[in-house]
């Protein structure tokens, strides 16, 4: 590897570990010799690293939009349909009763750990609050769901009864006609959220959960089905995030911010993230 500025390299490696950086140069290595290719500079690696960091910051804001919107849709659709603030305790709404019990306990655990004033006030004012059982007082859905993690919400939605009109109604709120598609997307987005929240790289990352292609949609989507490479890389789940944000917050600037970031780093090979040739010509990204 070549260096324009060795002191800059020392500075970076002094606060960013070698094994955090190494995957940003993985395509710069000759597969036959195992050595770096010619004209590989550490400064190019730094640009990729900073690019990935900036992309994660853009996605973090969009994930917040989705997470708040998901909570709101779940609370409103199920509370109005059941005419109850305690619908989340009703295992008849869910496929797997064991998963439902775990979900309720997760909800109560997260509520009990919340630092939000409304959660602290509720627990203080209810002597029979018990986060380890169904017994005692239980907060209404519009209160307890507010402290639920994205992962808990994703698992809850997946466990709603498959043929439930409520499950379909929530999917329709996001511009999807199939609850299976939304469930798949939320699982993939939960992985993305965790990666972003824990400052993990998106560069050259293969996601453990891959979003399914949608067959029916209300808003602009992709011209063709995603390729397998796009589904397993960041492009697939980022496209899903953009679509859902467009459905609940049409004024969002996620697409514009990503395109601006790309234009500022023209040397960065974005195909390593699954943004392959022609990605910008899709209706979703135009």
């Amino acid at each position: 590897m070549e260096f324009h500025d060795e002191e800059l390299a020392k500075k970076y490696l002094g606060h960013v570990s070698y094994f955090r950086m190494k995957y940003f140069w993985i395509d710069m290595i000759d597969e036959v010799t195992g050595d770096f290719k010619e004209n590989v500079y550490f400064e190019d690696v730094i640009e990729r690293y900073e690019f990935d960091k900036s992309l994660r910051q853009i996605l973090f804001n969009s994930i917040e939009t989705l997470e708040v919107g998901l909570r709101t849709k779940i609370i409103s659709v199920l509370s109005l349909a059941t005419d109850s603030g305690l619908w989340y305790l009703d295992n008849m709404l869910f496929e797997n009763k064991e998963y439902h019990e775990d979900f309720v306990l997760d909800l109560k655990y997260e509520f009990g750990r919340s630092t939000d004033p409304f959660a602290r006030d509720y627990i203080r004012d209810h002597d029979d609050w018990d986060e380890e059982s169904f017994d005692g007082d239980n907060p209404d859905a519009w209160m307890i769901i507010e402290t639920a993690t994205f992962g808990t919400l994703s698992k809850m939605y997946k466990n709603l009864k498959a043929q439930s009109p409520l499950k379909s109604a929530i999917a329709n709120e996001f511009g999807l006609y199939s609850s299976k598609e939304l469930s798949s997307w939320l699982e993939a987005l939960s992985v993305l959220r965790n990666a972003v929240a824990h400052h993990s790289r998106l560069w050259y990352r293969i996601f453990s959960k891959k979003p399914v292609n949608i067959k029916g949609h209300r808003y602009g989507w992709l011209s063709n089905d995603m390729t397998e490479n796009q589904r397993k890389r960041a492009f697939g789940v980022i496209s899903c995030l953009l679509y859902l944000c467009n459905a609940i917050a049409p004024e969002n600037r996620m697409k514009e911010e990503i395109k601006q970031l790309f234009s500022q780093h023209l040397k960065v090979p974005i195909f390593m993230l699954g943004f392959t040739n022609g990605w910008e010509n899709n209706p979703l990204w135009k």
Side-chain angles (χ1 to χ4, degrees):
M1 184 179 286
E2 305 285 344
F3 298 87
H4 289 302
D5 186 340
E6 290 192 11
E7 290 304 313
L8 177 64
K10 291 178 182 178
K11 177 183 176 181
Y12 256 86
L13 292 173
H15 67 265
V16 181
S17 71
Y18 170 84
F19 279 96
R20 183 173 178 84
M21 293 287 288
K22 68 174 291 187
Y23 288 99
F24 289 93
W25 65 61
I26 194 166
D27 61 312
M28 298 175 167
I29 296 176
D30 189 298
E31 294 181 358
V32 177
T33 66
D35 297 326
F36 284 103
K37 300 173 183 176
E38 292 185 5
N39 299 318
V40 170
Y41 286 88
F42 188 73
E43 286 74 13
D44 293 330
V45 178
I46 291 176
E47 182 178 9
R48 293 179 176 193
Y49 181 84
E50 293 297 333
F51 166 88
D52 191 78
K53 181 179 178 181
S54 296
L55 178 59
R56 283 184 276 112
Q57 289 171 341
I58 294 171
L59 297 179
F60 183 83
N61 292 332
S62 297
I63 290 169
E64 179 186 6
T65 298
L66 173 61
E67 189 166 345
V68 172
L70 179 62
R71 288 198 190 107
T72 303
K73 299 299 185 187
I74 287 175
I75 291 170
S76 59
V77 169
L78 286 162
S79 297
L80 290 172
T82 60
D83 195 26
S84 168
L86 297 176
W87 55 261
Y88 64 92
L89 297 174
D90 184 2
N91 63 17
M92 297 301 293
L93 296 173
F94 299 88
E95 289 281 358
N96 187 302
K97 302 301 186 287
E98 183 178 338
Y99 288 170
H100 168 256
E101 183 174 343
D102 291 340
F103 154 68
V104 173
L105 294 179
D106 285 344
L107 269 185
K108 299 190 73 171
Y109 176 83
E110 289 158 6
F111 187 80
R113 295 297 180 273
S114 175
T115 58
D116 280 315
F118 65 82
R120 306 319 308 161
D121 290 345
Y122 182 91
I123 293 171
R124 183 197 62 216
D125 295 340
H126 292 78
D127 294 334
D128 55 351
W129 159 261
D130 184 0
E131 69 180 41
E132 297 182 353
S133 76
F134 283 52
D135 298 329
D137 280 315
N138 292 288
D140 286 319
W142 41 86
M143 184 182 296
I144 197 169
I145 296 292
E146 274 300 318
T147 64
T149 65
F150 191 90
T152 296
L153 294 176
S154 173
K155 292 175 183 176
M156 185 225 78
Y157 181 77
K158 184 177 182 180
N159 195 34
L160 283 171
K161 285 195 171 178
Q163 304 304 320
S164 169
L166 300 179
K167 196 171 187 179
S168 297
I170 294 171
N172 290 338
E173 290 284 333
F174 287 97
L176 298 175
Y177 298 118
S178 168
S179 59
K180 289 183 178 179
E181 289 161 354
L182 180 58
S183 183
S184 167
W185 286 21
L186 292 180
E187 283 189 287
L189 284 161
S190 182
V191 175
L192 175 67
R193 184 200 181 282
N194 290 339
V196 170
H198 293 94
H199 317 297
S200 300
R201 63 177 170 81
L202 301 180
W203 184 266
Y204 197 64
R205 185 187 187 97
I206 295 177
F207 285 80
S208 57
K209 297 291 185 180
K210 297 179 289 187
V212 299
N213 287 296
I214 55 175
K215 303 304 179 185
H217 50 85
R218 191 179 306 160
Y219 308 106
W221 180 233
L222 305 178
S223 302
N224 300 300
D225 285 348
M226 286 183 282
T227 65
E228 184 63 16
N229 179 62
Q230 289 175 326
R231 288 178 65 234
K232 70 182 182 181
R233 301 285 184 189
F235 174 82
V237 67
I238 290 175
S239 294
C240 295
L241 176 60
L242 175 58
Y243 181 90
L244 296 178
C245 284
N246 287 346
I248 59 176
E251 72 284 358
N252 80 85
R253 291 189 48 77
M254 175 183 166
K255 176 173 62 178
E256 289 75 16
E257 290 174 357
I258 289 177
K259 284 189 169 184
Q260 183 179 16
L261 176 66
F262 287 1
S263 69
Q264 293 169 345
H265 298 274
L266 295 176
K267 290 175 61 179
V268 173
I270 57 176
F271 68 83
M272 297 288 285
L273 294 162
F275 284 80
T276 49
N277 288 340
W279 66 270
E280 69 273 29
N281 296 323
N282 285 290
L284 176 68
W285 287 101
K286 279 187 176 179

